[in-house]
């Protein structure tokens, strides 16, 4: 019997993850998954079986046999001997020469016969009488290792049919071990060119040309947050997603509650998906590109059911390998079949230290030239250089910003010397995004107009530090980098929570030591992501202003139900914040816009009064039960209900702002109950942050909240001091007036007396008291006073958490000494 190490062909059910030296990383992982996940049930998801298309590997032994019998190794060594990989022209010439040598050399007869026989056998095993359509992919023996990502270094050939076509595709795959970027990459990573061998995967094609395909990561690729599955998808075959030709849909699923059986999709973003790659029906090419219809561009490529199934599979694969994974998937909509076609360890975030917090801060503002999806959280500056095609690569200079329609793996030698990358197309899992993360440089993808507005030679700043939307600023702006080691950091006894508004920064903030969120602001989600007044959506059909309707239509693409747009966007924004800090408590404040702020939303002026002093007017609790706003408030309740009950994020609790009287508080709770958010104080376990029974706190920001603490204690589960408004209303200040802003702040003795009274009385009733106003972040001495008073939690701006928490620890230590 022939030794396994000396076989030309090994089938997927003959190989596993230990066979990388024989069949390369890609094939080893395909065999590992085929043997362990397609038949056996998972303890995590007993009803799921991962589907992996069957196939075989042309082995590394076959590759070496081919090179030896064709005398290619010596010829290749000679060609590489004096190569300078920084010389683009020389790299191009040497690479082309080696590839031509390989492609023009015939396979030895024994290998030729073995490949043909395996292809015929594959048809029999799959019960296919005609020629099997297969995907041919390279699988290097140093590829897909945890400490060396070779993603995209070699080529894939799709929809290959017939023996002759297969032999040609295998030879091309072997030749792709010597593409320009692969040669350059090995030199940079200090790999011996001949210490790496190439195996080739021959795998039954998934007809995703009549469905969808994409990539999936079992962590957030930008922050390294481990509790989500990130999925990108587009119509047709998967090459366009991987290469960044299209801007794909993006879905995010929260793993801990998915594991508990919840439909925990916490984000869905519609991509442009302008083109797709499908099977060719005529000519010599196996695939060709077509435009996607407007109708398909405006709908998601995956249903919620498929998103959740794919996420469960991702979790099963991650659990099997015990590390974050980078996975490619394909879906045949005609057969309604989903498949995993590749899996490899994720190699960027998995190696990143989570104990060193790195914070890039832009010190100046400038004119925004373009924007897109940010990749990473860094800032880069330099002169723009627009590269249209590979013939211009040699023009690129170190430290310039690469501007392109998309990037190609052939461009990696210049990407590694760029200060930043900006592309028109692609998503956060495109080639440009993956490589920029690996190189540790900022990138903005999917800008649409970057190649038009960023002319070569223009000085620009690429900022990915301000959230999910990356911005390209005019000029070389100043920035700084703060690094903090939190390895030995210990939180004080007083609970340290955060004030969070932007969902796009929530995962980043979650790495800062904390005990949850004491104030999650809805207003940011509404103004930055929804942008439309809820009543304008509720009354869309009767709106007479055509300009407003036009603006609404532009924002609600893909939504036939305009109201559903509001609920879904709000739920996703809230859900991401709740997921980021799970299982710690997240106190969400219902909308606290003033009438002038609501008027600033699209259609807002139609529904908002003009108040002389909106700061003490129609805001908070007084809105929620008002007939003019009741339906809008119902949408907020629906969003919260969705986050808690559908996504399973029971750590989300509620905060009622600006509640002037106990009677008003009761009416708000009644309104919430009408909309499915029931509250029963008798059933609450306030020590359990995942208590399925909703907890409702009240903001202590109107003096009546403190003067009537007994009455409010009978209605609500806790108090959260809003120090800004409490100061305003105690001292008779108008926060919007600069004329009197100097008169007082949260350290005023009157404010201290009220806080002392609240904490004393609330604790007697067994209720907790926190503070979520800006005061403790701005005034360290206020934090000291609060600790002495025995406050239960202090919520801080993320940038002040570590500094203030250390001060609080010192105060507690002094108190106990």
């Amino acid at each position: 019997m022939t030794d396994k190490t000396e076989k030309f062909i090994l089938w997927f059910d003959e190989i596993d993850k230990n066979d990388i030296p024989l069949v390369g990383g890609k094939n080893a992982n395909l065999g590992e998954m085929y043997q362990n996940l397609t038949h056996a049930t998972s303890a995590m998801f007993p009803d799921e079986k991962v589907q992996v298309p069957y196939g075989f590997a042309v082995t590394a032994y076959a590759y070496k046999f081919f090179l030896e019998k064709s005398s290619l190794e010596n010829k290749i060594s000679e060609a590489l001997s004096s190569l300078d990989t920084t010389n683009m022209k020389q790299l191009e010439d040497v690479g082309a020469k080696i590839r031509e040598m390989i492609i023009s050399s015939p396979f030895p007869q024994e290998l030729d016969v073995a490949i043909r026989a395996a292809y015929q056998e594959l048809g029999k095993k799959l019960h296919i009488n005609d020629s099997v359509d297969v995907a041919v992919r390279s699988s290097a023996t140093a590829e897909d290792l945890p400490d060396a990502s070779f993603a995209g270094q070699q080529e894939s050939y799709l929809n290959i049919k017939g023996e002759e076509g297969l032999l040609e595709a295998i030879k091309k795959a072997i030749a792709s071990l010597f593409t320009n970027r692969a040669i350059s990459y090995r030199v940079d990573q200090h790999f011996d060119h001949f210490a790496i061998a190439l195996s080739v995967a021959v795998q039954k094609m998934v007809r995703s040309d009549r469905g969808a395909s994409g990539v999936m990561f079992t962590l957030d690729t930008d922050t390294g947050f481990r509790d989500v599955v990130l999925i990108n998808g587009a119509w047709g075959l998967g090459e366009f997603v991987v290469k960044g030709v299209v801007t794909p849909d993006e879905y995010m699923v929260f793993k801990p509650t998915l594991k508990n059986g919840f439909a925990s999709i916490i984000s869905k973003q519609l991509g442009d998906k302008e083109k797709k790659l499908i099977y060719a029906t005529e000519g010599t090419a196996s695939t060709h590109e077509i435009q996607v219809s407007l109708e398909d561009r405006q709908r998601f490529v995956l249903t919620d059911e498929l998103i959740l199934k794919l996420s469960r599979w991702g979790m099963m694969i991650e659990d099997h390998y015990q590390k974050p994974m980078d996975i490619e998937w394909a879906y045949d909509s005609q057969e309604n079949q989903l498949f995993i076609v590749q899996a490899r360890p994720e190699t960027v975030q998995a190696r990143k230290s989570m104990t060193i917090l790195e914070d890039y801060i832009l010190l100046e503002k400038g004119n925004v030239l373009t924007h897109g999806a940010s990749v990473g959280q860094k800032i880069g500056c330099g002169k723009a250089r627009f590269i249209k095609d590979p013939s211009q690569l040699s023009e690129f200079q170190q430290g310039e910003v690469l501007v392109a329609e998309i990037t190609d793996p052939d461009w990696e030698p210049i990407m590694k010397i760029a200060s930043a990358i900006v592309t028109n197309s692609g998503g956060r899992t495109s080639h440009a995004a993956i490589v920029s993360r690996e190189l540790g440089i900022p990138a903005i993808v999917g800008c649409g107009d970057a190649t038009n507005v960023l002319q070569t030679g223009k000085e620009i700043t690429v900022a990915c530090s301000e959230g999910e939307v990356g911005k390209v600023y005019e000029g070389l702006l100043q920035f700084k980098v703060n690094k903090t080691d939190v390895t030995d950091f210990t939180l004080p006894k007083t609970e340290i929570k955060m004030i969070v508004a932007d969902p796009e920064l929530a995962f980043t903030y979650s790495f800062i030591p904390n005990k949850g969120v004491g104030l999650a602001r809805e207003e940011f989600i509404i103004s930055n992501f929804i942008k439309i007044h809820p009543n304008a959506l509720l009354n869309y059909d009767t709106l007479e202003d055509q300009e407003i309707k036009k603006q609404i239509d532009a924002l609600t693409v893909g939504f036939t139900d305009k109201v559903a747009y509001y609920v879904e966007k709000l739920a996703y924004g809230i859900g991401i914040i709740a997921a980021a800090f799970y299982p710690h408590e997240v106190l969400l404040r219902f909308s606290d816009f003033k009438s002038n702020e609501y008027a600033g939303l699209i259609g807002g002026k139609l529904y908002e009064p003009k108040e002389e002093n909106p700061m003490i007017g129609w805001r908070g609790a007084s809105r929620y039960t008002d007939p003019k706003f009741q339906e809008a408030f119902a949408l907020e309740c629906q969003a919260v209900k969705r986050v808690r009950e559908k996504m399973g994020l029971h750590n989300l609790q509620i905060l009622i702002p600006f509640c002037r009287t106990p009677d008003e508080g009761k009416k708000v709770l009644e309104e919430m109950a009408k909309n499915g958010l029931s509250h029963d104080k008798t059933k609450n376990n306030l020590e359990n942050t995942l208590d399925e029974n909703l907890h409702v706190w009240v903001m202590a920001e109107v003096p009546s909240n403190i003067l009537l603490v007994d009455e409010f204690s009978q209605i609500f589960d806790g108090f959260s001091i809003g120090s800004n408004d409490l100061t305003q209303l105690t001292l008779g200040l108008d926060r919007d007036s600069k004329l009197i802003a100097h008169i007082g702040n949260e350290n005023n003795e009157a404010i201290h007396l009220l806080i002392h009274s609240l904490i004393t009385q609330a604790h007697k009733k067994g209720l907790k008291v926190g503070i979520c106003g800006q005061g403790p972040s701005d005034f360290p001495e206020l934090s000291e006073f609060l600790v002495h008073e025995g406050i239960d939690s202090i919520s801080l701006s993320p940038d002040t958490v570590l500094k203030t928490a250390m001060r609080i620890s010192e105060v507690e230590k002094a108190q106990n000494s």
Side-chain angles (χ1 to χ4, degrees):
M1 184 177 175
T2 308
D3 187 294
K4 188 176 178 180
T5 61
E6 294 184 358
K7 282 188 172 184
F8 292 144
I9 304 294
L10 287 171
W11 295 86
F12 285 176
D13 45 10
E14 296 181 289
I15 53 182
D16 58 35
K17 64 184 179 184
N18 299 312
D19 291 321
I20 290 176
L22 305 183
V23 295
K26 190 171 289 135
N27 278 326
N29 286 326
L30 285 169
E32 179 73 17
M33 289 190 295
Y34 189 83
Q35 290 200 59
N36 293 285
L37 296 173
T38 59
H39 307 297
T41 57
S42 158
M44 186 183 289
F45 299 112
D47 298 328
E48 292 285 0
K49 291 181 182 179
V50 176
Q51 293 199 98
V52 177
Y54 192 56
F56 60 87
V58 180
T59 64
Y61 173 74
Y63 163 80
K64 291 172 184 173
F65 184 84
F66 171 44
L67 259 58
E68 182 187 335
K69 295 293 183 183
S70 305
S71 303
L72 282 167
E73 189 167 327
N74 289 337
K75 294 175 186 176
I76 293 169
S77 292
E78 187 180 336
L80 290 170
S81 60
S82 59
L83 175 64
D84 175 6
T85 58
T86 63
N87 184 327
M88 296 299 158
K89 183 71 173 64
Q90 189 188 15
L91 180 61
E92 287 170 14
D93 291 344
V94 170
K97 181 181 178 181
I98 293 171
R99 293 192 296 275
E100 177 55 34
M101 280 188 228
I102 294 169
I103 290 169
S104 61
S105 298
F107 279 129
Q109 185 180 3
E110 306 98 308
L111 180 56
D112 185 287
V113 169
I115 293 170
R116 291 176 189 271
Y119 180 64
Q120 293 297 329
E121 182 65 20
L122 180 62
K124 291 176 186 174
K125 289 188 175 191
L126 296 174
H127 309 292
I128 296 172
N129 298 323
D130 198 6
S131 295
V132 184
D133 53 335
V134 293
V136 177
R137 295 186 173 94
S138 61
S139 178
T141 55
E143 186 180 31
D144 300 343
L145 302 179
D147 55 350
S149 171
F150 279 67
Q153 293 300 320
Q154 284 79 49
E155 298 290 348
S156 295
Y157 302 92
L158 306 178
N159 186 26
I160 303 300
K161 281 190 174 185
E163 292 176 17
E164 301 306 323
L166 176 61
L167 289 166
E168 182 185 355
I170 291 172
K171 206 174 287 184
K172 284 181 179 177
I174 290 171
S176 77
L177 187 60
F178 294 94
T179 56
N180 305 341
R181 82 265 183 171
I183 294 169
S184 174
Y185 194 94
R186 284 195 294 274
V187 170
D188 293 340
Q189 297 288 331
H190 307 293
F191 282 99
D192 181 334
H193 293 288
F194 295 103
I196 298 166
L198 195 88
S199 172
V200 179
V202 179
Q203 185 179 28
K204 173 70 181 80
M205 272 292 295
V206 177
R207 290 296 306 270
S208 59
D209 63 308
R210 58 193 186 191
S213 55
V215 294
M216 166 170 61
F217 288 83
T218 60
L219 47 56
D220 178 54
T221 51
D222 281 333
T223 64
F225 184 73
R226 296 286 183 94
D227 280 346
V228 291
V229 174
L230 176 70
I231 301 169
N232 274 194
W235 301 113
L237 301 172
E239 297 300 286
F240 279 6
V241 176
V242 175
K243 290 183 177 177
V245 176
V246 297
T247 302
D249 294 343
E250 183 174 292
Y251 316 106
M252 197 174 281
V253 178
F254 187 55
K255 292 192 283 192
T257 55
L258 178 65
K259 192 175 178 180
N260 293 335
F262 290 96
S264 54
I265 301 169
I266 60 171
S267 176
K268 284 168 68 174
Q269 295 181 37
L270 195 68
D272 285 342
K273 312 182 295 289
E274 294 178 80
K275 316 168 186 178
K276 67 176 176 178
L277 196 64
I278 63 169
Y279 276 21
T281 53
E282 54 188 48
T284 56
S286 58
T287 60
H288 75 113
E289 171 191 310
I290 63 169
Q291 294 297 117
V292 175
S293 69
L294 183 62
E295 181 185 356
D296 281 346
R297 286 175 61 190
Q298 293 182 352
R299 67 187 180 97
F300 290 110
V301 300
L302 291 177
T303 62
D304 286 3
E305 181 184 0
L306 288 171
I307 294 167
L308 295 169
K309 176 183 276 291
L310 203 49
S311 298
R312 288 192 289 269
W313 287 6
M315 288 177 67
M316 289 165 66
I317 294 168
E318 179 182 58
D319 184 59
H320 179 77
Y321 282 91
Q322 289 294 294
K323 62 187 66 168
M325 298 295 288
D326 168 357
I327 301 160
E328 292 185 27
W329 59 270
Y331 174 64
D332 180 344
S333 60
Q334 192 165 309
E335 298 291 333
N336 192 26
Q337 292 288 318
L338 193 62
F339 293 90
I340 299 299
V341 295
Q342 281 192 53
R344 62 179 75 86
E346 193 278 340
T347 58
V348 179
Q349 294 294 349
R351 288 183 288 168
K352 183 178 171 184
S353 170
M354 294 304 174
T355 60
I356 305 293
L357 303 180
E358 204 173 62
D359 191 16
Y360 278 69
I361 301 165
L362 202 57
L363 301 175
E364 300 178 87
K365 290 290 181 183
N367 179 35
V368 177
L369 300 173
T370 187
H371 65 274
S374 66
V375 178
Q377 297 169 297
K378 295 184 178 181
I379 298 171
C381 301
K383 288 183 179 178
R385 170 77 64 179
F386 173 32
I387 299 292
K388 190 175 183 180
D389 57 60
S391 67
Q392 299 176 312
L393 293 180
S394 59
E395 299 171 13
F396 195 84
Q397 303 296 311
Q398 182 151 359
E400 291 182 330
V401 177
L402 172 60
V403 179
E405 176 63 38
I406 60 169
T407 63
D408 185 278
D410 286 326
W411 298 16
E412 287 175 31
I414 69 165
M415 293 170 77
K416 69 191 178 191
I417 60 172
S419 62
I421 298 168
V422 184
T423 67
N424 281 354
S425 302
R428 292 201 295 147
T429 53
S430 64
H431 175 265
I434 290 170
V435 173
S436 66
R437 282 190 204 98
E438 185 167 318
L439 295 172
I441 60 175
I444 299 176
V445 296
C447 294
D449 62 351
T451 55
N452 293 330
V453 299
L454 306 178
Q455 294 85 17
T456 294
K458 191 176 188 69
E459 292 184 332
I460 57 174
T461 297
V462 178
C464 297
S465 59
E466 300 172 298
E468 199 169 296
V469 177
K471 296 172 185 173
V472 180
Y473 291 99
E474 189 171 18
L476 305 178
L477 303 184
Q478 295 293 311
F479 65 91
K480 67 176 181 177
V481 185
N482 291 336
K483 292 187 178 183
T484 308
D485 187 345
V486 295
T487 307
D488 300 318
F489 184 83
T490 305
L491 284 167
K493 183 182 175 185
T494 305
E495 288 191 344
I496 300 299
K497 299 185 177 183
M498 276 196 241
I499 301 170
V500 178
D502 187 351
E504 293 176 347
L505 296 173
F507 291 160
T508 301
Y509 293 158
S510 73
F511 293 109
I512 301 171
N514 70 86
K515 287 293 183 180
V517 176
L519 174 61
R521 295 182 172 123
E522 265 191 23
E523 299 82 45
F524 188 93
I525 302 168
I526 296 168
S527 61
N528 286 49
F529 297 101
I530 297 172
K531 300 179 181 179
I532 306 166
H533 195 289
N535 282 338
L537 293 165
L538 286 161
N539 297 289
Y540 175 82
D541 293 336
T542 58
L543 280 177
E544 295 179 2
D545 190 318
Q546 294 306 307
E547 181 55 34
I548 290 175
K549 291 190 88 164
K550 187 178 174 183
Q551 290 180 62
I552 292 174
D553 290 341
L555 285 168
T556 58
V557 167
F559 287 86
T560 50
D561 182 348
K562 306 297 182 186
V563 173
Y565 165 83
Y566 192 91
V567 175
E568 185 170 297
K569 287 280 188 182
L570 186 55
Y572 287 149
I574 296 167
I576 286 174
I577 296 173
F581 294 90
Y582 186 91
H584 295 308
E585 182 176 61
V586 170
L587 277 170
L588 174 77
R589 185 178 68 188
F590 276 133
S591 64
D592 193 25
F593 276 136
K594 290 75 181 172
S595 54
N596 58 328
E597 294 167 330
Y598 259 123
L601 298 173
I602 294 169
K605 289 184 176 66
L606 299 175
Y607 304 100
E608 293 298 322
K610 288 186 178 178
E611 298 184 276
E612 289 298 323
N613 193 338
M615 193 64 74
I616 55 171
W618 192 38
R619 59 178 287 203
S622 61
R623 275 184 173 265
Y624 309 151
T625 57
D626 191 307
K628 295 189 290 296
F629 198 79
Q630 269 176 317
E631 285 186 84
F633 180 62
L635 304 185
E636 295 182 42
C637 294
Q638 287 173 36
V640 170
K641 185 177 170 68
R642 180 171 178 162
V643 173
R644 284 179 54 82
E645 297 181 11
K646 191 172 182 180
M647 300 179 191
L649 291 159
H650 293 128
N651 62 319
L652 179 70
Q653 309 296 0
I654 294 301
L655 199 51
I656 306 297
F658 228 77
C659 185
R660 294 171 170 97
T661 68
D663 187 53
E664 196 171 49
K666 289 174 186 175
K667 287 178 180 176
V668 170
L669 291 175
E670 288 169 9
E671 200 64 35
M672 288 170 59
K674 279 188 211 171
N675 292 293
L677 295 179
S678 59
H679 171 252
D680 185 347
K681 269 179 69 71
T682 63
K683 293 181 180 178
N684 280 351
N685 176 3
L686 298 178
E687 297 304 317
N688 179 8
T689 59
L690 298 179
D691 186 0
E692 290 188 24
N693 192 41
L694 184 68
H695 303 169
V696 184
W697 289 42
V698 66
M699 294 283 289
E701 53 192 351
V702 183
S704 60
N705 302 141
I706 298 169
L707 295 169
L708 299 175
V709 68
D710 288 354
E711 289 83 348
F712 279 103
S713 295
Q714 292 170 29
I715 304 166
F716 296 106
D717 301 309
F719 293 88
S720 185
I721 300 165
S723 56
N724 298 350
D725 274 316
L726 185 60
T727 301
Q728 170 183 240
L729 296 173
T730 302
L731 301 178
L733 301 173
D734 178 355
R735 279 168 53 196
D736 286 343
S737 173
K738 294 178 183 176
L739 297 172
I740 53 174
H742 63 282
I743 292 174
N745 59 47
E746 287 89 334
N747 275 319
N748 186 281
E749 188 180 353
I751 311 304
H752 283 206
L753 286 170
L754 286 170
I755 291 173
H756 168 80
S757 175
L758 174 64
I759 294 172
T760 303
Q761 297 304 313
H763 282 176
K764 285 180 183 176
K765 297 287 183 181
L767 269 60
K768 287 185 176 181
V769 179
I771 186 166
C772 63
Q774 191 65 29
S777 298
D778 295 342
F779 306 110
E781 59 271 33
L782 179 60
S783 299
E784 191 172 329
F785 163 75
L786 292 166
V787 172
H788 284 304
E789 290 297 324
I791 199 157
D792 297 288
S793 64
I794 297 177
S795 298
L796 302 161
S797 299
D799 59 334
T800 65
V801 166
L802 297 174
K803 179 178 66 179
T804 310
M806 284 188 271
R807 184 182 176 99
I808 289 170
S809 292
E810 289 170 8
V811 174
E812 289 180 350
K813 190 176 179 181
Q815 219 176 18
N816 296 326
S817 61

